[in-house]
Amino acid sequence: MTRVFSGIKPTGHLTLGNYLGAMRRWVEVDQHQSDALFCIVDLHALTVDHDPARVRRLSRQAATLLLAAGLDPERCTVFVQSHVDEHPRLSYLLECMAADGEMRRMIQYKEKAAREQERGRSVRLSLLTYPVLMAADILAYGTDEVPVGGDQTQHVELTRDLAVRFNQRYGHTFVVPKATHPKVAARVMNLQEPTSKMGKSDDSGPGIVYLLDEPDVVRKKVMRAVTDSGQDVVYDRESRPGVANLLEILAACEGGNPEALSGVHESYGALKKDTAEAVVELLRPVQERHKELCADPAYVEGVLRAGAEKAREMARPRVDAAYRAIGLLPA
């Protein structure tokens, strides 16, 4: 089977964008059609200033929500990155393959470093090198495919470059993965800024629907969503991004097509109402299952412990082979 690796970073509460853009496909497709690993990449959360207690809390919440959304530990591997030592072990070897220039060309580094500097904070070295850790996450498991959004494609290209470079210098060790962009995934934009992605690291709550928002909170946020000038409810991402975002969310919730929804609603208010109810119904089973899992923390801990053990068994032989290939004495 094709091996797939995906990760989610515990830097904020998971959103509707995370669910429609990635998690739903993991549940409905990837865990059934591939040998899939899903990882809470908590080490990546340390690249910027953070509250340790919050990282722990969000890591546990993310794992619980992945299970609540429908990931089945019998079908896939769910684990926490920091529980598997092979990730940082391999990351250092790959840092020895990476060049300073190619790391500084990473678009996300430039953007995040600029934001940190604007806030008067120093830029951590780990922010520069974390794409190498991401490469280690992927290469440790012989991953074939990495489902990513457009903003992560550059990092997967770096992963491919590092794998090829290592293989050429030290002998074939790593599978060279490819980035995939699932067609069924939806790109959900901020309800208040419909030209910007709905990101979990952004704390501007009014434009973000979180997976654990109460139904009335969801309705309020959607009903207050920014729309556009004009009256007709038509799908036009360029000239009417606010309405297009609502149509895309509604279509994603109902399994339809946003273009087909053009002209169906007589007003923006009617569109917002239908979209709000569709989101509430989409999230209801996830929230109910999340509540059940929170009442049984030992189950979640057991899943993560078993997932980490399985991940270690999968990663260790390849990482050990990389250590031997690059010239290190075996322990």
Side-chain angles (χ1 to χ4, degrees):
M1 296 180 70
T2 299
R3 180 162 291 172
V4 170
F5 179 95
S6 290
I8 200 156
K9 186 162 57 174
T11 51
H13 299 287
L14 298 187
T15 72
L16 179 67
N18 295 127
Y19 182 77
L20 292 176
M23 292 166 60
R24 186 167 64 172
R25 178 184 167 85
W26 298 351
V27 170
E28 296 178 353
V29 179
D30 290 334
Q31 70 171 339
H32 299 285
Q33 297 183 1
S34 60
D35 180 8
L37 299 99
F38 302 106
C39 181
I40 312 301
V41 287
D42 54 344
L43 295 176
H44 291 293
L46 311 185
T47 59
V48 295
D49 191 35
H50 64 278
D51 174 10
R54 187 170 188 263
V55 171
R56 283 191 291 270
R57 185 170 64 252
L58 290 176
S59 297
R60 180 181 296 275
Q61 184 185 89
T64 305
L65 278 168
L66 289 180
L67 298 174
L71 288 185
D72 182 354
E74 298 299 319
R75 294 182 176 273
C76 63
T77 306
V78 182
F79 66 104
V80 177
Q81 179 190 32
S82 63
H83 294 176
V84 181
D85 292 344
E86 279 62 35
H87 291 251
R89 283 184 65 209
L90 180 56
S91 182
Y92 181 73
L93 295 195
L94 297 179
E95 283 187 19
C96 296
M97 304 301 302
D100 176 77
E102 65 185 339
M103 301 309 300
R104 294 187 186 279
R105 286 194 295 271
M106 295 289 112
I107 295 171
Q108 284 214 3
Y109 168 71
K110 293 179 180 179
E111 294 176 347
K112 291 181 179 180
R115 284 200 296 269
E116 289 297 291
Q117 290 170 342
E118 287 172 2
R119 294 168 180 168
R121 299 172 180 169
S122 60
V123 179
R124 299 186 180 190
L125 179 61
S126 57
L127 187 62
L128 178 66
T129 60
Y130 96 88
V132 178
L133 176 57
M134 179 176 169
D137 298 337
I138 296 165
L139 296 179
Y141 298 99
T143 303
D144 299 297
E145 296 181 359
V146 189
V148 291
D151 59 343
Q152 291 291 333
T153 300
Q154 190 183 33
H155 292 165
V156 180
E157 287 303 313
L158 173 69
T159 301
R160 290 171 54 84
D161 291 343
L162 294 176
V164 169
R165 196 174 302 161
F166 192 101
N167 289 346
Q168 289 175 341
R169 292 183 184 179
Y170 304 113
H172 184 78
T173 306
F174 299 115
V175 174
V176 180
K178 66 178 181 179
T180 59
H181 306 281
K183 294 180 180 179
V184 298
R187 190 176 188 211
V188 181
M189 312 305 280
N190 190 297
L191 295 174
Q192 294 297 315
E193 300 175 28
T195 57
S196 300
K197 189 173 70 170
M198 185 183 287
K200 64 181 182 300
S201 299
D202 183 355
D203 290 329
S204 58
I208 303 172
V209 174
Y210 297 104
L211 296 188
L212 296 179
D213 277 345
E214 294 289 337
D216 285 346
V217 174
V218 172
R219 294 185 182 99
K220 184 180 294 184
K221 288 180 177 180
V222 176
M223 294 304 294
R224 292 180 178 176
V226 169
T227 49
D228 314 286
S229 59
Q231 299 295 326
D232 297 334
V233 181
V234 295
Y235 182 73
D236 187 334
R237 168 52 69 185
E238 295 300 320
S239 63
R240 296 189 179 183
V243 172
N245 188 36
L246 292 171
L247 289 171
E248 288 176 354
I249 292 172
L250 178 58
C253 289
E254 297 181 344
N257 185 307
E259 288 91 345
L261 292 173
S262 289
V264 172
H265 298 86
E266 296 182 355
S267 67
Y268 292 164
L271 170 62
K272 289 180 177 181
K273 183 177 180 180
D274 282 357
T275 302
E277 293 307 317
V279 173
V280 167
E281 290 307 311
L282 179 77
L283 298 184
R284 190 185 305 280
V286 177
Q287 294 179 351
E288 290 174 352
R289 179 59 177 152
H290 177 267
K291 188 178 295 185
E292 293 173 358
L293 291 171
C294 285
D296 187 9
Y299 171 76
V300 177
E301 292 170 3
V303 168
L304 296 179
R305 185 164 51 250
E309 290 174 0
K310 183 178 177 182
R312 276 188 225 105
E313 291 175 359
M314 296 168 70
R316 185 166 295 161
R318 186 169 285 100
V319 176
D320 285 348
Y323 267 60
R324 291 193 299 271
I326 207 169
L328 300 177
L329 286 173

